[in-house]
Amino acid sequence: MKKILAIGNSFSEDATRYIHQIAASAGEECLVVNLYMGGCPLWYHAHNLRTNVAEFRYERNGEITQRLVSTAEAMAEEDWDVVTIQQASPLSGKKASFSPYGEELIAFAAEKLPDAKVYFHQTWAYADNSSHQDFIKYGFSRKQMYGEIVSASRAYAEEQGIGLIPTGEVIETLRADPLFNTALGGTDLCRDGFHLSLTYGRFAAGVTWFAKLFGKKDFDYIPEGTDRALCEVIKKTVYATVKD
């Protein structure tokens, strides 16, 4: 069984919603836990390592629970194979904001879970019509935000010697497809201009994580209420975008 711990926020909540179901349909056992606090940045996750306050909602296999945990508590309760970190979306393209907090989390994981693989979760740019107050940091430009996210996340992962889950690149690649290009009447991958849609957006992120962490294996799962043909387009796009 592969055990995955996401230290994140609502964007990792979106990304981890369907991983367990995707993996199960491929015959893979996994445990996926997301530590949720809305909008939580790297600096606060590092702060929690010092305070050890149980203030993150424990989400298991895509399901919300009422349990609250600290980062250290969550790390200690399983022999995690994978630990992911990410920056809050307003700062996701600002590499200077990653340090020294990301390094603190990476070092803590290395000490407590020496056999775990650490990944940086590359999040996605806001939608063109996003009303998010922090979109101004990127000139209200999706393309600018995307470019800064890719540059920052790839450079940071390389510097720290950790893996990269390229969810942002997958979402942007899909947005270029007429089926998901909202300017052409395609399906919107966001539900509010920044969070992923509950169906296709979250599915795309889940397939990205699955492809990166399990390999490009076949699977049958699609979320309830989705069209299999659209899901197949997502799957093919992910498998063409994600590098081993």
Side-chain angles (χ1 to χ4, degrees):
M1 175 188 287
K2 188 181 291 289
K3 298 179 180 180
I4 303 165
L5 177 65
I7 301 172
N9 47 49
S10 60
F11 276 39
S12 56
E13 179 181 54
D14 279 347
T16 58
R17 174 64 181 88
Y18 295 125
I19 299 173
H20 183 261
Q21 295 93 319
I22 292 168
S25 73
E28 298 283 353
E29 285 189 89
C30 71
L31 168 65
V32 185
V33 169
N34 180 52
L35 302 187
Y36 169 86
M37 177 186 289
C40 192
L42 280 169
W43 76 261
Y44 197 85
H45 281 295
H47 170 74
N48 184 263
L49 289 180
R50 296 184 285 273
T51 62
N52 200 29
V53 176
E55 55 187 338
F56 297 104
R57 187 170 72 199
Y58 183 97
E59 299 178 338
R60 180 185 176 93
N61 293 337
E63 300 295 333
I64 294 171
T65 76
Q66 298 306 308
R67 182 183 175 196
L68 294 177
V69 297
S70 67
T71 300
E73 178 186 359
M75 279 194 178
E77 71 178 18
E78 299 283 352
D79 293 325
W80 302 102
D81 299 294
V82 171
V83 175
T84 71
I85 63 172
Q86 67 185 57
Q87 182 56 292
S89 66
L91 299 171
S92 56
K94 310 301 180 183
K95 182 171 170 287
S97 73
F98 300 177
S99 299
Y101 317 109
E103 293 93 310
E104 291 181 45
L105 292 163
I106 293 166
F108 190 82
E111 177 187 352
K112 303 297 182 182
L113 300 161
D115 295 326
K117 173 76 171 177
V118 179
Y119 288 83
F120 192 89
H121 178 213
Q122 176 199 80
T123 54
W124 50 92
Y126 299 159
D128 287 309
N129 63 350
S130 179
S131 60
H132 195 292
Q133 63 183 7
D134 288 306
F135 204 13
I136 193 173
K137 289 181 169 67
Y138 303 94
F140 298 104
S141 167
R142 189 191 92 214
K143 289 186 178 180
Q144 179 181 330
M145 186 175 187
Y146 171 68
E148 291 190 34
I149 288 172
V150 172
S151 177
S153 60
R154 286 202 165 272
Y156 189 75
E158 183 175 355
E159 288 173 8
Q160 299 303 319
I162 61 176
L164 181 77
I165 302 176
T167 307
E169 291 170 45
V170 166
I171 295 299
E172 198 65 20
T173 301
L174 284 167
R175 283 169 167 164
D177 189 305
L179 291 170
F180 298 100
N181 185 332
T182 56
L184 300 176
T187 299
D188 196 343
L189 293 170
C190 284
R191 65 183 186 269
D192 56 7
F194 49 102
H195 290 109
L196 294 179
S197 65
L198 300 179
T199 51
Y200 298 108
R202 284 183 166 187
F203 180 70
V207 179
T208 303
W209 282 54
F210 177 74
K212 189 67 180 182
L213 303 181
F214 290 85
K216 300 173 185 179
K217 301 178 181 180
D218 196 23
F219 64 88
D220 296 325
Y221 177 79
I222 64 172
E224 184 178 352
T226 58
D227 179 82
R228 183 167 290 277
L230 282 180
C231 288
E232 284 299 319
V233 170
I234 288 172
K235 181 178 174 181
K236 289 178 181 178
T237 301
V238 169
Y239 282 16
T241 304
V242 173
K243 307 303 180 185
D244 296 330

